[in-house]
């Protein structure tokens, strides 16, 4: 066992343990912190495999934005988590079904690589030699050439999801004065200025 394998098992063990603590912790703030620890160890595993670009993207996007956003939202919102957990059991069958499907997919992938080791070498787009093509450049070649339409479709789906979240959470308050662009544009001199004649000794 070399040093590379030792670090792999250390990072993998910490990642699995912290991932379990994400769902086992009773405090939601602790769950988010364990999630950040899981991302850091997953990034370290990416570095061990030579995918430094994916490791940096994982740290910048998920740890630097998503996980920190979750942490601030959980800390700022006064959510009754005891009430949320009261209806967890009714979703247990659906969760168990999804878990069985994911386990079956993992067994198929691992079993296929064990039963047929040649299958991994017969892929249509093999990983180029790092000395000839950098990891980031090779990923960009595949992403923006072979899968450019899927990349644009994923961006469109995220845009629709963002607009939907904004529309669902937008609440118009009736007790505040809002700007009406159409009314402002339709104004004319006759309605814009009003002349008031004040009688002597009276105020406006």
């Amino acid at each position: 066992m070399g040093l590379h394998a030792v670090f792999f098992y250390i990072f993998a063990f910490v990642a699995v343990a912290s991932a379990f603590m994400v769902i086992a912790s009773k405090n939601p703030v602790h769950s988010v912190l364990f999630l950040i620890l899981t991302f850091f160890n997953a990034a370290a595993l990416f570095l061990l495999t030579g995918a430094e670009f994916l490791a940096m993207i994982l740290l910048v996007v998920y740890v630097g934005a998503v996980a920190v956003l979750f942490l601030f939202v959980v800390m700022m919102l006064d959510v009754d988590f005891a009430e949320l957990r009261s209806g967890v059991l009714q979703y247990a069958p659906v969760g168990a079904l999804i878990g069985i499907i994911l386990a079956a997919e993992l067994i198929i992938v691992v079993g296929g690589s064990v039963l047929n080791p040649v299958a991994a070498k017969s892929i249509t787009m093999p990983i180029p030699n790092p000395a000839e093509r950098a990891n980031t450049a090779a990923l960009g070649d595949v992403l923006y050439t072979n899968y450019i339409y899927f990349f644009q479709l994923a961006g469109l789906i995220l845009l629709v999801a963002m607009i939907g979240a904004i529309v669902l959470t937008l609440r118009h308050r009736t007790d505040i004065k809002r700007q009406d662009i159409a009314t402002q544009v339709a104004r004319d001199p006759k309605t814009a200025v009003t002349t008031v004649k004040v009688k002597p000794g009276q105020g406006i």
Side-chain angles (χ1 to χ4, degrees):
M1 180 183 295
L3 189 62
H4 190 278
V6 172
F7 279 108
F8 171 79
Y9 285 113
I10 291 175
F11 290 133
F13 175 77
V14 177
V16 173
S18 56
F20 175 76
M21 292 303 298
V22 171
I23 60 175
S25 298
K26 295 182 179 180
N27 192 332
V29 177
H30 295 168
S31 297
V32 177
L33 294 177
F34 278 117
L35 180 63
I36 295 175
L37 180 61
T38 305
F39 287 151
F40 271 105
N41 286 273
L45 292 176
F46 278 132
L47 285 177
L48 289 178
T49 57
E52 68 281 351
F53 178 74
L54 293 179
M56 293 301 105
I57 287 297
L58 182 64
L59 292 180
V60 171
V61 175
Y62 286 95
V63 177
V66 178
V68 175
L69 179 62
F70 287 167
L71 181 61
F72 281 117
V73 169
V74 169
M75 293 176 64
M76 293 176 63
L77 294 181
D78 188 13
V79 180
D80 189 2
F81 291 95
E83 182 180 355
L84 293 178
R85 294 193 187 97
S86 60
V88 172
L89 293 179
Q90 62 181 349
Y91 301 106
V94 179
L97 178 62
I98 296 175
I100 293 174
I101 294 175
L102 292 176
E105 292 177 349
L106 291 175
I107 292 174
I108 292 173
V109 172
V110 176
S113 61
V114 172
L115 296 177
N116 189 10
V118 187
K121 300 180 181 179
S122 62
I123 56 179
T124 57
M125 291 184 297
I127 301 175
N129 188 3
E132 300 176 357
R133 192 66 171 168
N135 178 263
T136 306
L139 184 61
D141 293 338
V142 175
L143 187 62
Y144 296 111
T145 54
N146 301 87
Y147 297 98
I148 181 61
Y149 296 110
F150 297 100
F151 180 77
Q152 296 293 335
L153 181 61
L156 181 61
I157 293 174
L158 292 176
L159 178 62
V160 172
M162 181 182 67
I163 296 175
I166 294 174
V167 171
L168 291 176
T169 56
L170 183 62
R171 296 291 183 271
H172 289 284
R173 296 178 56 183
T174 58
D175 56 341
I176 60 176
K177 187 177 181 181
R178 294 185 179 275
Q179 185 179 15
D180 191 352
I181 305 296
T183 304
Q184 294 176 351
V185 174
R187 294 179 66 187
D188 54 9
K190 296 180 180 179
T191 59
V193 179
T194 303
T195 304
V196 179
K197 293 184 179 181
V198 182
K199 296 181 179 180
Q202 296 181 357
I204 298 177

